[in-house]
Amino acid sequence: MLEMQAFRRMKEIIEKIICENIPDARCIFDGDSCNFRLVVVSSIFAEISLVEQHKKVMKLLESKFKSGELHALSLETRVS
């Protein structure tokens, strides 16, 4: 139960960070705390390469990885 609450909270935190920095972003989550998958959809991705798209999102989450709050993430980006 606590693990599920922490997972839901992390989803909320991630979505807040991404949406504050990429205003038209839409976050789609899948999986669980051990197999976490995130799809970020935004129009800003149309102008940058796939590698740069991923770097942009991962940079936003860098502090969560450094703190250990987030340790693994499968990321997909799409142009809206």
Side-chain angles (χ1 to χ4, degrees):
M1 178 85 158
L2 287 176
E3 184 177 315
M4 195 58 148
Q5 289 175 337
F7 176 65
R8 277 191 234 121
R9 179 74 180 127
M10 183 52 63
K11 286 183 359 181
E12 292 170 3
I13 291 168
I14 289 170
E15 187 166 26
K16 183 177 189 284
I17 291 168
I18 291 172
C19 291
E20 284 177 350
N21 291 279
I22 305 173
D24 77 331
R26 189 166 41 105
C27 297
I28 304 161
F29 296 92
D30 190 28
D32 56 34
S33 60
C34 294
N35 187 19
F36 198 48
R37 183 168 180 265
L38 169 63
V39 178
V40 181
V41 182
S42 174
S43 61
I44 68 160
F45 297 144
E47 303 297 321
I48 56 178
S49 71
L50 182 61
V51 171
E52 291 302 317
Q53 293 171 28
H54 284 224
K55 283 182 180 179
K56 182 168 187 63
V57 174
M58 294 305 274
K59 181 72 173 165
L60 296 174
L61 302 175
E62 185 174 39
S63 67
K64 298 302 172 194
F65 281 106
K66 283 185 178 180
S67 72
E69 293 174 80
L70 186 60
H71 62 85
L73 177 69
S74 174
L75 176 64
E76 180 180 335
T77 53
R78 297 180 190 161
V79 177
S80 62

Short mmCIF file of all heavy atoms in Angstrom, two decimals, residues 16-57:
data_model
loop_
_atom_site.label_atom_id
_atom_site.label_comp_id
_atom_site.label_asym_id
_atom_site.label_seq_id
_atom_site.Cartn_x
_atom_site.Cartn_y
_atom_site.Cartn_z
N LYS A 16 4.23 17.29 -12.72
CA LYS A 16 4.32 18.71 -12.36
C LYS A 16 5.61 19.32 -12.90
O LYS A 16 5.59 20.40 -13.51
CB LYS A 16 4.26 18.86 -10.84
CG LYS A 16 4.28 20.29 -10.35
CD LYS A 16 4.13 20.32 -8.83
CE LYS A 16 3.93 21.70 -8.29
NZ LYS A 16 5.08 22.53 -8.25
N ILE A 17 6.73 18.66 -12.71
CA ILE A 17 8.02 19.17 -13.19
C ILE A 17 7.98 19.34 -14.70
O ILE A 17 8.39 20.38 -15.23
CB ILE A 17 9.17 18.21 -12.78
CG1 ILE A 17 9.39 18.26 -11.27
CG2 ILE A 17 10.45 18.56 -13.54
CD1 ILE A 17 10.31 17.16 -10.75
N ILE A 18 7.51 18.33 -15.40
CA ILE A 18 7.50 18.38 -16.87
C ILE A 18 6.54 19.45 -17.37
O ILE A 18 6.91 20.26 -18.23
CB ILE A 18 7.17 16.99 -17.46
CG1 ILE A 18 8.35 16.05 -17.19
CG2 ILE A 18 6.88 17.09 -18.96
CD1 ILE A 18 8.10 14.61 -17.54
N CYS A 19 5.34 19.51 -16.82
CA CYS A 19 4.34 20.48 -17.31
C CYS A 19 4.71 21.92 -16.97
O CYS A 19 4.32 22.84 -17.69
CB CYS A 19 2.97 20.13 -16.78
SG CYS A 19 2.32 18.60 -17.53
N GLU A 20 5.45 22.13 -15.90
CA GLU A 20 5.91 23.48 -15.57
C GLU A 20 6.97 23.96 -16.56
O GLU A 20 7.13 25.15 -16.78
CB GLU A 20 6.48 23.54 -14.16
CG GLU A 20 5.41 23.53 -13.08
CD GLU A 20 5.97 23.52 -11.68
OE1 GLU A 20 7.20 23.34 -11.50
OE2 GLU A 20 5.19 23.69 -10.74
N ASN A 21 7.71 23.03 -17.13
CA ASN A 21 8.81 23.38 -18.03
C ASN A 21 8.51 23.20 -19.51
O ASN A 21 9.19 23.76 -20.36
CB ASN A 21 10.05 22.56 -17.64
CG ASN A 21 10.61 22.99 -16.32
OD1 ASN A 21 11.34 23.98 -16.24
ND2 ASN A 21 10.24 22.30 -15.25
N ILE A 22 7.51 22.39 -19.79
CA ILE A 22 7.05 22.17 -21.16
C ILE A 22 5.54 22.37 -21.12
O ILE A 22 4.78 21.41 -20.92
CB ILE A 22 7.42 20.76 -21.67
CG1 ILE A 22 8.91 20.49 -21.53
CG2 ILE A 22 6.97 20.59 -23.13
CD1 ILE A 22 9.33 19.06 -21.87
N PRO A 23 5.08 23.61 -21.27
CA PRO A 23 3.68 23.96 -21.01
C PRO A 23 2.62 23.12 -21.74
O PRO A 23 1.56 22.87 -21.19
CB PRO A 23 3.59 25.42 -21.42
CG PRO A 23 4.97 25.94 -21.22
CD PRO A 23 5.87 24.80 -21.59
N ASP A 24 2.87 22.69 -22.96
CA ASP A 24 1.84 21.91 -23.66
C ASP A 24 2.04 20.40 -23.51
O ASP A 24 1.38 19.62 -24.18
CB ASP A 24 1.78 22.30 -25.14
CG ASP A 24 2.91 21.71 -25.97
OD1 ASP A 24 4.01 21.47 -25.41
OD2 ASP A 24 2.71 21.48 -27.17
N ALA A 25 2.92 20.00 -22.61
CA ALA A 25 3.23 18.58 -22.44
C ALA A 25 2.05 17.81 -21.88
O ALA A 25 1.27 18.30 -21.07
CB ALA A 25 4.43 18.40 -21.52
N ARG A 26 1.95 16.58 -22.36
CA ARG A 26 0.99 15.62 -21.82
C ARG A 26 1.80 14.40 -21.40
O ARG A 26 2.61 13.88 -22.19
CB ARG A 26 -0.03 15.25 -22.89
CG ARG A 26 -1.18 14.42 -22.36
CD ARG A 26 -2.33 14.37 -23.34
NE ARG A 26 -1.89 14.22 -24.72
CZ ARG A 26 -1.96 13.08 -25.42
NH1 ARG A 26 -2.47 12.00 -24.89
NH2 ARG A 26 -1.54 13.03 -26.67
N CYS A 27 1.62 13.96 -20.18
CA CYS A 27 2.37 12.82 -19.64
C CYS A 27 1.45 11.61 -19.54
O CYS A 27 0.36 11.71 -19.00
CB CYS A 27 2.93 13.15 -18.27
SG CYS A 27 4.12 14.50 -18.26
N ILE A 28 1.93 10.50 -20.06
CA ILE A 28 1.18 9.25 -20.01
C ILE A 28 2.06 8.24 -19.28
O ILE A 28 3.20 7.98 -19.71
CB ILE A 28 0.85 8.75 -21.43
CG1 ILE A 28 0.10 9.83 -22.21
CG2 ILE A 28 0.07 7.44 -21.37
CD1 ILE A 28 0.11 9.64 -23.71
N PHE A 29 1.56 7.70 -18.19
CA PHE A 29 2.32 6.77 -17.37
C PHE A 29 1.81 5.35 -17.56
O PHE A 29 0.62 5.13 -17.75
CB PHE A 29 2.21 7.15 -15.89
CG PHE A 29 2.80 8.48 -15.57
CD1 PHE A 29 2.03 9.63 -15.60
CD2 PHE A 29 4.15 8.60 -15.24
CE1 PHE A 29 2.58 10.87 -15.30
CE2 PHE A 29 4.70 9.83 -14.95
CZ PHE A 29 3.92 10.96 -14.98
N ASP A 30 2.74 4.41 -17.44
CA ASP A 30 2.39 3.00 -17.54
C ASP A 30 3.33 2.23 -16.64
O ASP A 30 4.43 2.69 -16.33
CB ASP A 30 2.52 2.53 -19.00
CG ASP A 30 1.94 1.15 -19.22
OD1 ASP A 30 1.01 0.76 -18.48
OD2 ASP A 30 2.42 0.46 -20.14
N GLY A 31 2.94 1.06 -16.24
CA GLY A 31 3.80 0.21 -15.43
C GLY A 31 3.59 0.42 -13.96
O GLY A 31 2.59 0.96 -13.51
N ASP A 32 4.57 -0.03 -13.19
CA ASP A 32 4.53 0.09 -11.74
C ASP A 32 5.86 0.61 -11.24
O ASP A 32 6.71 0.99 -12.03
CB ASP A 32 4.16 -1.25 -11.09
CG ASP A 32 5.11 -2.37 -11.48
OD1 ASP A 32 6.31 -2.09 -11.67
OD2 ASP A 32 4.66 -3.51 -11.59
N SER A 33 6.05 0.60 -9.94
CA SER A 33 7.25 1.20 -9.36
C SER A 33 8.54 0.49 -9.79
O SER A 33 9.61 1.09 -9.75
CB SER A 33 7.15 1.23 -7.84
OG SER A 33 7.01 -0.07 -7.33
N CYS A 34 8.45 -0.75 -10.21
CA CYS A 34 9.64 -1.48 -10.66
C CYS A 34 9.86 -1.39 -12.16
O CYS A 34 10.95 -1.63 -12.66
CB CYS A 34 9.53 -2.95 -10.26
SG CYS A 34 9.55 -3.19 -8.48
N ASN A 35 8.83 -1.08 -12.90
CA ASN A 35 8.89 -1.03 -14.35
C ASN A 35 8.13 0.21 -14.81
O ASN A 35 7.01 0.13 -15.30
CB ASN A 35 8.28 -2.30 -14.94
CG ASN A 35 8.45 -2.38 -16.44
OD1 ASN A 35 9.28 -1.70 -17.02
ND2 ASN A 35 7.65 -3.21 -17.07
N PHE A 36 8.74 1.37 -14.62
CA PHE A 36 8.10 2.66 -14.81
C PHE A 36 8.31 3.15 -16.23
O PHE A 36 9.44 3.28 -16.68
CB PHE A 36 8.72 3.63 -13.80
CG PHE A 36 7.93 4.86 -13.54
CD1 PHE A 36 6.58 4.82 -13.27
CD2 PHE A 36 8.57 6.07 -13.53
CE1 PHE A 36 5.87 5.97 -13.01
CE2 PHE A 36 7.87 7.24 -13.26
CZ PHE A 36 6.52 7.18 -13.00
N ARG A 37 7.22 3.45 -16.93
CA ARG A 37 7.29 3.92 -18.31
C ARG A 37 6.55 5.25 -18.41
O ARG A 37 5.46 5.40 -17.89
CB ARG A 37 6.65 2.91 -19.25
CG ARG A 37 6.75 3.31 -20.70
CD ARG A 37 6.37 2.12 -21.60
NE ARG A 37 6.47 2.52 -22.98
CZ ARG A 37 5.45 2.96 -23.71
NH1 ARG A 37 4.24 3.03 -23.18
NH2 ARG A 37 5.62 3.30 -24.96
N LEU A 38 7.18 6.20 -19.10
CA LEU A 38 6.61 7.52 -19.28
C LEU A 38 6.67 7.91 -20.75
O LEU A 38 7.71 7.79 -21.39
CB LEU A 38 7.39 8.56 -18.46
CG LEU A 38 7.10 10.03 -18.71
CD1 LEU A 38 5.66 10.38 -18.35
CD2 LEU A 38 8.07 10.90 -17.93
N VAL A 39 5.54 8.37 -21.26
CA VAL A 39 5.47 8.93 -22.61
C VAL A 39 5.16 10.41 -22.43
O VAL A 39 4.20 10.77 -21.74
CB VAL A 39 4.36 8.26 -23.46
CG1 VAL A 39 4.29 8.90 -24.84
CG2 VAL A 39 4.60 6.75 -23.56
N VAL A 40 5.99 11.27 -23.04
CA VAL A 40 5.76 12.71 -22.99
C VAL A 40 5.44 13.17 -24.41
O VAL A 40 6.22 12.93 -25.34
CB VAL A 40 6.98 13.47 -22.44
CG1 VAL A 40 6.69 14.97 -22.39
CG2 VAL A 40 7.38 12.95 -21.07
N VAL A 41 4.31 13.83 -24.55
CA VAL A 41 3.85 14.31 -25.86
C VAL A 41 3.86 15.84 -25.82
O VAL A 41 3.30 16.45 -24.90
CB VAL A 41 2.42 13.81 -26.16
CG1 VAL A 41 1.97 14.27 -27.52
CG2 VAL A 41 2.35 12.29 -26.03
N SER A 42 4.52 16.46 -26.81
CA SER A 42 4.58 17.92 -26.87
C SER A 42 4.92 18.39 -28.28
O SER A 42 5.64 17.72 -29.01
CB SER A 42 5.65 18.45 -25.91
OG SER A 42 5.81 19.85 -26.06
N SER A 43 4.44 19.57 -28.60
CA SER A 43 4.75 20.16 -29.91
C SER A 43 6.20 20.63 -30.00
O SER A 43 6.75 20.73 -31.09
CB SER A 43 3.81 21.33 -30.20
OG SER A 43 3.97 22.34 -29.22
N ILE A 44 6.84 20.91 -28.86
CA ILE A 44 8.22 21.40 -28.92
C ILE A 44 9.19 20.35 -29.46
O ILE A 44 10.26 20.69 -29.94
CB ILE A 44 8.74 21.93 -27.56
CG1 ILE A 44 8.89 20.80 -26.56
CG2 ILE A 44 7.88 23.04 -27.04
CD1 ILE A 44 9.81 21.13 -25.42
N PHE A 45 8.80 19.11 -29.40
CA PHE A 45 9.67 18.04 -29.88
C PHE A 45 9.80 18.03 -31.40
O PHE A 45 10.70 17.40 -31.94
CB PHE A 45 9.19 16.68 -29.38
CG PHE A 45 9.23 16.53 -27.88
CD1 PHE A 45 8.25 15.82 -27.23
CD2 PHE A 45 10.25 17.09 -27.12
CE1 PHE A 45 8.28 15.66 -25.85
CE2 PHE A 45 10.29 16.95 -25.75
CZ PHE A 45 9.29 16.23 -25.10
N ALA A 46 8.92 18.73 -32.10
CA ALA A 46 8.96 18.76 -33.56
C ALA A 46 10.24 19.40 -34.08
O ALA A 46 10.70 19.09 -35.18
CB ALA A 46 7.75 19.51 -34.11
N GLU A 47 10.83 20.27 -33.30
CA GLU A 47 12.00 21.03 -33.75
C GLU A 47 13.34 20.43 -33.34
O GLU A 47 14.38 20.96 -33.71
CB GLU A 47 11.90 22.47 -33.20
CG GLU A 47 10.64 23.19 -33.60
CD GLU A 47 10.50 23.38 -35.10
OE1 GLU A 47 11.52 23.66 -35.75
OE2 GLU A 47 9.38 23.24 -35.61
N ILE A 48 13.32 19.35 -32.55
CA ILE A 48 14.59 18.80 -32.06
C ILE A 48 14.66 17.29 -32.30
O ILE A 48 13.64 16.62 -32.42
CB ILE A 48 14.80 19.13 -30.57
CG1 ILE A 48 13.64 18.64 -29.70
CG2 ILE A 48 14.99 20.64 -30.37
CD1 ILE A 48 13.81 18.89 -28.20
N SER A 49 15.88 16.79 -32.33
CA SER A 49 16.10 15.36 -32.59
C SER A 49 15.58 14.52 -31.42
O SER A 49 15.37 15.03 -30.31
CB SER A 49 17.59 15.08 -32.78
OG SER A 49 18.29 15.21 -31.54
N LEU A 50 15.41 13.25 -31.67
CA LEU A 50 14.94 12.32 -30.64
C LEU A 50 15.88 12.32 -29.43
O LEU A 50 15.44 12.36 -28.29
CB LEU A 50 14.80 10.91 -31.21
CG LEU A 50 14.28 9.84 -30.26
CD1 LEU A 50 12.89 10.19 -29.76
CD2 LEU A 50 14.30 8.48 -30.92
N VAL A 51 17.17 12.32 -29.69
CA VAL A 51 18.16 12.35 -28.60
C VAL A 51 17.98 13.61 -27.77
O VAL A 51 17.98 13.57 -26.54
CB VAL A 51 19.60 12.23 -29.14
CG1 VAL A 51 20.62 12.48 -28.05
CG2 VAL A 51 19.82 10.87 -29.78
N GLU A 52 17.82 14.75 -28.42
CA GLU A 52 17.64 16.02 -27.71
C GLU A 52 16.31 16.04 -26.96
O GLU A 52 16.22 16.63 -25.88
CB GLU A 52 17.75 17.20 -28.67
CG GLU A 52 19.15 17.41 -29.20
CD GLU A 52 20.18 17.63 -28.09
OE1 GLU A 52 19.91 18.37 -27.13
OE2 GLU A 52 21.28 17.04 -28.19
N GLN A 53 15.29 15.41 -27.50
CA GLN A 53 14.00 15.32 -26.81
C GLN A 53 14.18 14.61 -25.47
O GLN A 53 13.74 15.07 -24.43
CB GLN A 53 12.98 14.55 -27.65
CG GLN A 53 12.56 15.25 -28.92
CD GLN A 53 11.73 14.36 -29.82
OE1 GLN A 53 11.05 13.46 -29.36
NE2 GLN A 53 11.77 14.62 -31.12
N HIS A 54 14.87 13.47 -25.52
CA HIS A 54 15.08 12.67 -24.32
C HIS A 54 15.98 13.42 -23.33
O HIS A 54 15.72 13.40 -22.12
CB HIS A 54 15.67 11.31 -24.67
CG HIS A 54 14.65 10.38 -25.23
ND1 HIS A 54 14.55 9.07 -24.85
CD2 HIS A 54 13.66 10.58 -26.14
CE1 HIS A 54 13.55 8.49 -25.50
NE2 HIS A 54 13.01 9.39 -26.29
N LYS A 55 17.02 14.07 -23.83
CA LYS A 55 17.90 14.83 -22.95
C LYS A 55 17.13 15.94 -22.23
O LYS A 55 17.34 16.18 -21.05
CB LYS A 55 19.05 15.47 -23.74
CG LYS A 55 20.14 14.51 -24.10
CD LYS A 55 21.24 15.26 -24.84
CE LYS A 55 22.38 14.37 -25.23
NZ LYS A 55 23.42 15.13 -25.96
N LYS A 56 16.24 16.60 -22.96
CA LYS A 56 15.45 17.69 -22.38
C LYS A 56 14.60 17.18 -21.21
O LYS A 56 14.58 17.79 -20.14
CB LYS A 56 14.56 18.33 -23.44
CG LYS A 56 13.75 19.50 -22.94
CD LYS A 56 13.13 20.25 -24.09
CE LYS A 56 12.45 21.53 -23.65
NZ LYS A 56 13.35 22.52 -23.06
N VAL A 57 13.92 16.08 -21.41
CA VAL A 57 13.07 15.52 -20.35
C VAL A 57 13.92 15.00 -19.19
O VAL A 57 13.64 15.28 -18.02
CB VAL A 57 12.15 14.41 -20.90
CG1 VAL A 57 11.39 13.72 -19.76
CG2 VAL A 57 11.18 14.98 -21.94
#
